Amino acid sequence: MRVLLTGAAGFIGSHIHSALRRAGHEVVAVDLMLPAAHGPDARPPEGVGRVDIRDPAELDRVLRGADAVCHQAAVVGAGVDAQDAPAYAGHNDYGTAVLLAAMDRAGCSRLVLASSMVVYGEGLYRGPEGVVAVDARRGEDLAAGRFEHRSGGLDLAWAPVPEDTPLRPRSLYAASKVAQENYASAWAALTGSSVTALRYHNVYGPGMPRDTPYSGVAAIFRSALAAGRAPRVFEDGGQTRDFVHVSDITAANLAALETGLPGFVPLNICSGRPVTIGQVARTLAAAHGGPEPVITGEVRPGDVRHIVADPTRAREILGFTAQLTPDTGLAEFATAPLRPAAALGVPIG
């Protein structure tokens, strides 16, 4: 296929770019090269054109003859300041809307969209009466070191989150990813097109950006160890997540492009092997030969306690199963290279 790949110079996009070419696809690779993601004065790597997906004329040019679009371009992170909202809306949501309109003009009807597990918000929990949704934890509980969700005086255990769980974003970034999915779903229904929304869980691997407020926690821990510092773990380290290696993310994207599921289909892309944040920090520290993690008891605003995916649907309808376990992948990541140019934060404009 001829595939337009957006965000092709980014952490995930660069891995997908290489894999698409190895698989024999013709790739039109583009990236805006935002300083927020790539550092100041960054130039596109070989084979990647500098394109702003908010520019309709540029999209009309790069979409000529395209059979499919793999849309990885996005401003990422939790959104650590209310002033970040316009950047998320402008790049993620407006940019996606411009892309969808251009795909319609070009007659390109297959989209693979990079979404995220953050769309689920607090996730799901299992209590005495079964699986329940929960509201955000109370500030007074967190200040007192009571980190778990509770019901009837008992701590609630996490439950795996399937794709039909109602979306309840808890951050600016999450709100922008829900909006992306909504635009893509409506576009698919209007045009009869195919959209596979891959809801990535915590992605890690070589080439990840260095430590910034917008980095994933694995990169933050890895950056601390590279600097000879102990990883600092919020709360009590018992927060549960699913960490999935970038090689598995890449495989899921190829499978989605080559399968072309009909209509709008969201899929959890995860390892299926949940781990705690404390386990992640200890695994990285041990493999790196660095200092033991420090459990701080501190709370980061907007953090959820547990969010764990149900991998069933991706396995059944896409044939995707992650190949690299977190134990193996994180041990390798402990000494893997990070991006030499640290990200600067969310862009302005």
Side-chain angles (χ1 to χ4, degrees):
M1 293 185 293
R2 180 178 172 90
V3 179
L4 172 64
L5 173 62
T6 71
F11 162 49
I12 296 173
S14 59
H15 285 271
I16 295 173
H17 187 193
S18 298
L20 283 170
R21 294 181 65 182
R22 287 195 302 270
H25 298 295
E26 180 185 357
V27 186
V28 180
V30 302
D31 199 297
L32 184 54
M33 302 303 297
L34 285 168
H38 300 280
D41 305 317
R43 298 188 175 205
E46 184 178 353
V48 177
R50 190 188 296 268
V51 170
D52 188 337
I53 62 166
R54 299 169 297 178
D55 185 334
E58 281 291 280
L59 286 180
D60 287 342
R61 178 178 64 83
V62 296
L63 275 165
R64 290 190 194 114
D67 300 299
V69 174
C70 186
H71 184 28
Q72 305 296 316
V75 174
V76 301
V80 297
D81 191 287
Q83 298 307 308
D84 296 338
Y88 286 113
H91 288 272
N92 298 359
D93 303 333
Y94 178 68
T96 297
V98 174
L99 174 63
L100 294 171
M103 289 179 67
D104 180 57
R105 291 193 298 275
C108 180
S109 61
R110 183 178 296 185
L111 173 68
V112 174
L113 172 67
S115 188
S116 171
M117 57 89 176
V118 297
V119 299
Y120 297 123
E122 296 290 338
L124 294 177
Y125 293 79
R126 193 179 305 279
E129 299 179 358
V131 175
V132 295
V134 297
D135 293 322
R137 294 172 292 173
R138 301 187 309 167
E140 55 265 38
D141 288 335
L142 297 174
R146 295 188 294 269
F147 301 124
E148 298 291 352
H149 291 281
R150 294 176 65 80
S151 177
L154 299 174
D155 289 349
L156 298 179
W158 59 263
V161 181
E163 288 85 351
D164 57 1
T165 302
L167 306 186
R168 302 175 69 194
R170 290 265 289 118
S171 70
L172 297 171
Y173 173 59
S176 76
K177 300 308 284 185
V178 171
Q180 274 190 312
E181 286 200 13
N182 286 338
Y183 274 112
S185 177
W187 173 81
L190 181 66
T191 63
S193 298
S194 161
V195 177
T196 306
L198 303 180
R199 292 175 179 165
Y200 302 159
H201 285 249
N202 294 68
V203 188
Y204 69 96
M208 224 178 161
R210 290 185 187 277
D211 184 6
T212 82
Y214 301 88
S215 294
V217 68
I220 292 173
F221 291 163
R222 171 71 176 78
S223 297
L225 289 164
R229 303 191 307 269
R232 293 178 59 81
V233 181
F234 288 140
E235 301 185 16
D236 59 359
Q239 311 93 303
T240 310
R241 299 289 190 273
D242 189 301
F243 282 78
V244 57
H245 195 270
V246 68
S247 61
D248 285 315
I249 293 288
T250 298
N253 274 272
L254 262 66
L257 281 166
E258 294 172 350
T259 302
L261 300 170
F264 177 82
V265 181
L267 296 173
N268 288 326
I269 303 302
C270 58
S271 73
R273 299 173 177 88
V275 294
T276 67
I277 298 299
Q279 287 176 290
V280 171
R282 289 190 294 271
T283 299
L284 290 172
H288 194 276
E292 283 287 312
V294 174
I295 306 299
T296 68
E298 297 171 1
V299 176
R300 188 168 62 172
D303 271 0
V304 302
R305 181 59 177 174
H306 307 295
I307 180 74
V308 176
D310 183 341
T312 304
R313 184 181 294 182
R315 181 176 65 247
E316 290 180 348
I317 70 174
L318 194 62
F320 169 77
T321 300
Q323 299 301 302
L324 202 59
T325 66
D327 282 348
T328 300
L330 287 167
E332 293 177 359
F333 179 61
T335 54
L338 298 178
R339 286 192 170 241
L344 302 179
V346 164
I348 299 173

